[in-house]
Amino acid sequence: PSWAKDFLREINPHFEFEYFTDQETVVVSRYLNAHFAFQMQNGGLFEFGLNTNLEQPQSDFAIHPKVTIPQDFYTFSEVFGMFFSDTSRLLSGNVRVSSGDFYSGTRQAVSLGAVLRLGAKLSTQVGWSYNDIVLAEGAFSTHLLTARFSYNFNTNMFLNGLLQYNNVSDEWSANIRFNLIHRPLSDFFITYNDLRDEYGVVKDRAVIAKFTYLLNF
């Protein structure tokens, strides 16, 4: 609208529907969302919406070491709002808040993030996600801390890293990946994975190499 053109670039309502069944056509999961996003002229983004879920797990499953969700038919929904500032700036941030039903109870969630972009090649990011979950089977909260970096040597060679801490498992995990595009749609990857307990003792470590080559007939 003309009255908003000085600060509002785009209004983007969007909807998504997913429906999954097993081989006997019994519904296993259904997801429906309705979101409204507002792209600002200054590069910021506001979005809010409603997410609805239908879940019918085929067996009991552990959602937490001390909490198990029994096999049943569940419907639940959440409302959320989020904001991203202009990610092209030196420093940007984001926040997401949601609240709603969750299986047999409720979930309140908050996510915060900050991005530091040092020139065109290096970008770093830190984030924190919190979930407060109260179910008929038990209550628990989760914290996930993340730190990321990305360095682009050029348009064909990249280095990415991810460090995470999960309070539920009390584990630190690290992933570093080098990617070389040696020809169009063909890659060479070297990945280093490291998993440690809360005291820094190594639980798992691996170096993985992957080579792809596209054959165009």
Side-chain angles (χ1 to χ4, degrees):
S2 58
W3 58 266
K5 64 181 181 180
D6 290 338
F7 62 90
L8 184 62
R9 181 179 305 169
E10 180 181 85
I11 300 176
N12 179 21
H14 51 278
F15 305 89
E16 181 180 2
F17 179 71
E18 296 181 355
Y19 190 85
F20 301 93
T21 68
D22 61 16
Q23 294 183 347
E24 283 72 42
T25 70
V26 176
V27 61
V28 174
S29 179
R30 186 192 69 201
Y31 177 72
L32 173 65
N33 72 38
H35 297 181
F36 287 85
F38 298 87
Q39 183 73 47
M40 313 306 292
Q41 294 287 13
N42 63 7
L45 173 71
F46 292 92
E47 185 169 339
F48 65 91
L50 171 69
N51 299 325
T52 65
N53 295 268
L54 181 153
E55 298 286 345
Q56 189 169 212
Q58 305 302 294
S59 60
D60 299 352
F61 70 94
I63 197 171
H64 184 271
K66 298 181 180 179
V67 179
T68 297
I69 300 293
Q71 177 183 0
D72 206 340
F73 185 87
Y74 301 93
T75 58
F76 49 93
S77 61
E78 69 166 3
V79 293
F80 78 92
M82 64 182 185
F83 167 74
F84 287 80
S85 65
D86 183 3
T87 57
S88 67
R89 293 185 177 273
L90 172 66
L91 182 64
S92 61
N94 59 80
V95 58
R96 187 184 191 276
V97 179
S98 64
S99 177
D101 304 324
F102 190 65
Y103 289 100
S104 61
T106 61
R107 177 176 66 174
Q108 319 295 325
V110 178
S111 297
L112 301 174
V115 179
L116 178 63
R117 188 178 299 277
L118 301 174
K121 293 188 174 184
L122 178 62
S123 175
T124 62
Q125 178 180 347
V126 293
W128 168 67
S129 296
Y130 171 73
N131 287 273
D132 181 31
I133 298 174
V134 180
L135 304 175
E137 297 77 20
F140 60 93
S141 61
T142 68
H143 297 267
L144 180 66
L145 303 177
T146 62
R148 301 175 184 268
F149 78 87
S150 175
Y151 186 82
N152 303 328
F153 297 93
N154 50 51
T155 57
N156 297 316
M157 188 163 56
F158 319 95
L159 184 66
N160 299 283
L162 170 65
L163 176 67
Q164 284 189 328
Y165 172 73
N166 184 334
N167 77 301
V168 175
S169 60
D170 274 332
E171 290 179 338
W172 292 88
S173 62
N175 172 272
I176 300 175
R177 187 182 70 172
F178 172 78
N179 177 203
L180 173 66
I181 303 175
H182 57 89
R183 67 189 304 270
L185 300 178
S186 300
D187 296 88
F188 173 64
F189 297 97
I190 296 180
T191 303
Y192 171 75
N193 295 320
D194 191 284
L195 181 65
R196 299 170 183 254
D197 65 17
E198 58 187 308
Y199 304 108
V201 178
V202 176
K203 300 177 67 176
D204 190 26
R205 180 180 288 164
V207 177
I208 303 167
K210 179 181 178 180
F211 178 83
T212 66
Y213 190 95
L214 177 67
L215 299 176
N216 189 7
F217 298 97

